Amino acid sequence: DAKTTQPPSMDCAEGRAANLPCNHSTISGNEYVYWYRQIHSQGPQYIIHGLKNNETNEMASLIITEDRKSSTLILPHATLRDTAVYYCIVRVPAGTALIFGKGTTLSVSS
Amino acid sequence: SAVISQKPSRDICQRGTSLTIQCQVDSQVTMMFWYRQQPGQSLTLIATANQGSEATYESGFVIDKFPISRPNLTFSTLTVSNMSPEDSSIYLCSVAPSGANVLTFGAGSRLTVL
């Protein structure tokens, strides 16, 4: 079973920041938090991952709480093309698969 | 990151037949994973395929139904055997390049069984 909890759906206005929460209260010390998204009919796309420090790349920022029991993915300026299902996954990086939960369907509207 | 090519991208098959899906990677990878995504659902891991060893199947998936080959470090196949309409899904392969912490996915093979 997935080890994360996400809201089933969220809405965001185009140009605004999208903040997607994820709870992972049973995360182990060696597990990373990964975020992927799946745009309709495509394979999942990697967004970002982190262990305990906040991370930022060209796509998004990842904020992990100090106790590591939850995190937030931030898309700073959402566009219509960011409409997708977003998956938060905890994983030990070396040699393991990704176990997907149900994710959050983000709808960005103009 | 690795570039993955899956074939076929989509197919329509008759009940009782079998279909083999190919996954080709542009670089050598240690681990490959096969997933199924049923209509409107999330991805479910079918099996892990390492070169030189038998695939490891997840609960609910068996080798007779989903035989997997992994002949080298850049290629794998998944066969869906004796298909029924319930097998209509998108099948995706994913790879973990050696030393990389990020898994890459193929575009998927959309299978419709009539």
Side-chain angles (χ1 to χ4, degrees):
Chain A
D1 291 341
K3 299 171 64 175
T4 62
T5 303
Q6 299 177 251
S9 64
M10 294 184 65
D11 295 320
C12 181
E14 190 176 22
R16 303 298 296 269
N19 297 282
L20 290 82
C22 180
N23 287 323
H24 32 78
S25 59
T26 61
I27 191 170
S28 301
N30 60 346
E31 289 181 314
Y32 284 63
V33 180
Y34 286 78
W35 284 84
Y36 280 73
R37 72 180 182 183
Q38 187 175 27
I39 297 171
H40 183 62
S41 298
Q42 298 181 20
Q45 176 190 23
Y46 166 78
I47 301 173
I48 199 168
H49 75 286
L51 181 62
K52 56 183 179 181
N53 297 321
N54 297 339
E55 303 287 345
T56 296
N57 62 21
E58 66 278 5
M59 290 183 66
S61 294
L62 173 60
I63 308 298
I64 303 174
T65 59
E66 189 170 349
D67 63 7
R68 302 208 323 124
K69 293 185 176 182
S70 65
S71 61
T72 301
L73 177 75
I74 301 173
L75 307 178
H77 304 287
T79 71
L80 298 178
R81 290 177 293 180
D82 292 321
T83 293
V85 180
Y86 287 77
Y87 296 99
C88 169
I89 303 166
V90 296
R91 169 183 179 255
V92 176
T96 61
L98 291 165
I99 304 302
F100 288 80
K102 296 182 178 180
T104 296
T105 299
L106 176 67
S107 299
V108 181
S109 58
S110 57
Chain B
S1 62
V3 177
I4 300 171
S5 174
Q6 275 192 242
K7 292 181 180 179
S9 59
R10 58 178 63 230
D11 207 341
I12 300 173
C13 302
Q14 296 300 315
R15 182 195 302 258
T17 63
S18 298
L19 179 74
T20 296
I21 301 166
Q22 300 179 2
C23 179
Q24 178 75 53
V25 190
D26 70 342
S27 58
Q28 293 185 340
V29 295
T30 304
M31 306 191 74
M32 280 188 167
F33 306 97
W34 285 98
Y35 290 83
R36 179 178 74 181
Q37 187 170 30
Q38 295 176 301
Q41 303 297 313
S42 182
L43 286 77
T44 300
L45 180 66
I46 297 172
T48 300
N50 293 332
Q51 195 268 336
S53 62
E54 294 288 329
T56 302
Y57 289 83
E58 298 297 305
S59 175
F61 297 95
V62 295
I63 188 171
D64 290 346
K65 176 67 175 178
F66 298 100
I68 290 171
S69 77
R70 182 76 200 274
N72 57 52
L73 291 174
T74 64
F75 188 77
S76 177
T77 66
L78 169 75
T79 298
V80 186
S81 303
N82 188 25
M83 289 183 287
S84 67
E86 292 71 33
D87 294 318
S88 295
S89 298
I90 300 173
Y91 293 86
L92 302 104
C93 74
S94 176
V95 301
S98 299
N101 291 330
V102 175
L103 269 65
T104 303
F105 286 80
S109 299
R110 182 183 294 272
L111 174 62
T112 301
V113 184
L114 303 178

